Amino acid sequence: RLVRCGVKWKNKVHNSPEIKSQYEYGGLLICHDRNNGQAKEAIAIRDKQRSKMIKELMRDEIRQNSRSPRPYFYLAQQMFAEKKFRKAIRYYNKYLRRSRHKGERWLVCYDKAMAHYFLGHYLRAIWATRDADKEVFDRWETAKLRGVIFGIAGKYENAIES
């Protein structure tokens, strides 16, 4: 989307422009250079800016309402993306204490298992997959991850059963 300069934006994370009217113009074609992509420096600058923005916005949201699970989810996702798995697990646990949404809770348990796996905490990763099964039973992704973890840990019979 193209937006005129000076337009005000609403919403903090998934923002959209505040406009009174819009005009569709079919004569414009934007081609993205997918092969060459962005320069590595530009990607690094954008990642740093995104990380800072998410941390600031979500910490402000926690100050306003510490019972809301939303900021903990986004902070955990950001820490996971930055490969700060211990912090991600901490935020995932805070999210799980506050949320009742089954689908998101499954995703959080699954990502928590992945974080433990990357840290080499295979038993804790298995426990997290068990928790994911409690949220949404019999997902193939959970069984596959559990099998991979058992395989890495040398428990081949358990891996096959998963």
Side-chain angles (χ1 to χ4, degrees):
R1 67 186 170 194
L2 297 176
V3 179
R4 175 182 279 165
C5 185
V7 170
K8 291 185 180 180
W9 294 81
K10 59 183 176 182
N11 303 328
K12 290 183 179 178
V13 177
H14 300 290
N15 56 10
S16 58
E18 289 182 3
I19 53 176
K20 294 177 184 167
S21 64
Q22 57 184 358
Y23 175 74
E24 291 190 27
Y25 180 74
L28 179 67
L29 177 66
I30 298 174
C31 295
H32 294 280
D33 187 0
R34 298 266 182 217
N35 294 330
N36 298 321
Q38 272 187 311
K40 291 187 189 317
E41 299 83 26
I43 293 170
I45 291 169
R46 175 64 181 132
D47 287 345
K48 186 177 177 183
Q49 185 264 338
R50 181 187 317 107
S51 176
K52 181 181 177 197
M53 178 188 74
I54 288 174
K55 289 173 187 173
E56 287 175 1
L57 290 174
M58 294 303 115
R59 287 184 178 137
D60 286 346
E61 198 169 317
I62 289 170
R63 281 186 209 104
Q64 292 172 3
N65 181 7
S66 63
R67 292 182 181 176
S68 172
R70 181 179 179 270
Y72 298 102
F73 179 80
Y74 284 110
L75 283 168
Q77 292 289 318
Q78 184 62 36
M79 294 298 117
F80 190 93
E82 293 177 11
K83 296 180 175 39
K84 296 178 180 174
F85 300 118
R86 291 184 201 289
K87 285 186 178 181
I89 291 167
R90 208 172 313 137
Y91 284 121
Y92 284 138
N93 288 334
K94 289 181 180 186
Y95 171 86
L96 289 169
R97 285 194 293 273
R98 290 165 175 81
S99 176
R100 299 289 166 246
H101 188 281
K102 284 279 190 190
E104 284 181 2
R105 287 177 61 86
W106 175 85
L107 176 64
V108 165
C109 291
Y110 182 84
D111 284 349
K112 187 176 158 185
M114 291 291 292
H116 281 300
Y117 169 75
F118 290 135
L119 290 170
H121 304 160
Y122 301 132
L123 182 59
R124 291 179 187 271
I126 294 296
W127 291 344
T129 61
R130 181 195 61 203
D131 294 342
D133 272 341
K134 288 178 185 174
E135 297 300 331
V136 179
F137 185 69
D138 209 23
R139 295 265 314 235
W140 68 267
E141 299 96 332
T142 310
K144 179 182 175 184
L145 178 59
R146 190 172 25 253
V148 167
I149 295 165
F150 276 130
I152 296 292
K155 309 277 185 175
Y156 304 116
E157 289 182 19
N158 293 10
I160 292 169
E161 291 173 9
S162 293

